[in-house]
Structures are given as C-alpha cells and as structure tokens.
Amino acid sequence: MIYTIQIIMAFLGSLGFSILFNIRGRKLWYAAIGGMLSWVIYLLLDFWLTSEISRFFISTMIVTIYSEILARIEKTPTTTFLTSSVIPLIPGRSLYYTMSYAVNGDLDKFVSSGGQTVGLSASIAAGIMAGSSLFKVFIVIQQKLKG
C-alpha cells in the first residue's frame, strides 16, 4: 500500500512540475508517466541493490532513455520529458538534513550527509549522461545497419 501511494505521488509531483514547466497536451502526461516510471524503477531496484546511489544511477539512466525515445516520437527536445521525469529522484530529504546539520553546527553529521547528497546528485547527472550516450550509440549502430 505504501508503494502505491509513493508511485501516485511521484506521478502527481511530476505532473505538477510539468504544468509548471508549461508542457502541454499529451506531452504533459508522458512527462508525468516518466516521473512515475523513475520512482517505480527506483523502488524495484531496492530488491536487488543495497546502494542508494546505484539505484539513483540506474533509474535515471533508464528514464533518460525513455525521454530520448519519446523526444524522437513527439519531435520535441529530450529535456521536455527528462526534467519532469527526474523530479521524484531529487534528493530533497538528504539536502534538507545536510543544511539542518550545517545550521545546527553538527559538523560530523553535516559532512556525512553532505557527502551522501553530493553522491546522489552526481549519480543522477551520471545516469543522464550514460543513458543519453547509450541511446546515441544505439542510434548510430541502427543507422549503420540500415545504410
């Protein structure tokens, strides 16, 4: 039940940001589904991977490929779908606690939490780069096989 609520909230959060980013029509729904997809993948990876950073990386990589495919189908920039799709993965809780420890002067917890926050953010960036690169390699191979 709790996973169902999380998945619905990921969809609604991505939908809200899609509206905020002025995405219209069916692209709005594709972007919201992308956010839901990113969180579903993250939750599923919890069964196999213990590292949160790895789950963020793989989930972001898959949702980047999803965004690249939809961008080609809808003839629109990839960022239209990607920006809203990664919203559920933004490490807000980790960032909140990092700043809370900094304000309260708890240096040890600040450094530990800050390292985790930077790691999660870096894994999102690396997942976007890896997913986009893999998709472009696939496109080049596909074009070579056709031509």
Side-chain angles (χ1 to χ4, degrees):
M1 179 65 179
I2 192 152
Y3 290 139
T4 305
I5 293 170
Q6 288 182 25
I7 292 166
I8 291 168
M9 289 300 117
F11 176 82
L12 292 175
S14 294
L15 180 66
F17 272 92
S18 298
I19 292 168
L20 184 67
F21 296 147
N22 209 19
I23 300 172
R24 303 233 188 263
R26 67 176 178 232
K27 295 174 190 173
L28 174 74
W29 301 107
Y30 290 150
I33 290 169
M36 182 179 70
L37 177 67
S38 70
W39 196 249
V40 166
I41 293 167
Y42 174 79
L43 292 174
L44 287 174
L45 288 172
D46 191 33
F47 293 112
W48 298 285
L49 300 172
T50 56
S51 170
E52 192 173 22
I53 290 174
S54 298
R55 289 180 292 190
F56 269 63
F57 174 78
I58 293 169
S59 181
T60 304
M61 190 172 64
I62 292 170
V63 85
T64 299
I65 293 169
Y66 166 84
S67 298
E68 291 276 1
I69 291 168
L70 279 179
R72 297 319 186 271
I73 293 170
E74 291 294 320
K75 296 177 179 39
T76 191
T78 304
T79 55
T80 302
F81 304 110
L82 184 60
T83 306
S84 296
S85 295
V86 297
I87 289 296
L89 298 175
I90 302 300
R93 179 189 63 182
S94 180
L95 182 59
Y96 171 80
Y97 284 120
T98 300
M99 298 315 319
S100 175
Y101 297 141
V103 169
N104 293 328
D106 193 346
L107 187 61
D108 292 335
K109 287 183 179 178
F110 167 72
V111 170
S112 174
S113 183
Q116 177 72 8
T117 303
V118 169
L120 293 174
S121 301
S123 71
I124 291 171
I128 291 171
M129 289 187 306
S132 185
S133 297
L134 281 174
F135 185 79
K136 286 181 172 71
V137 166
F138 174 76
I139 293 296
V140 167
I141 290 171
Q142 186 180 30
Q143 288 174 348
K144 296 258 186 211
L145 292 175
K146 281 184 179 179

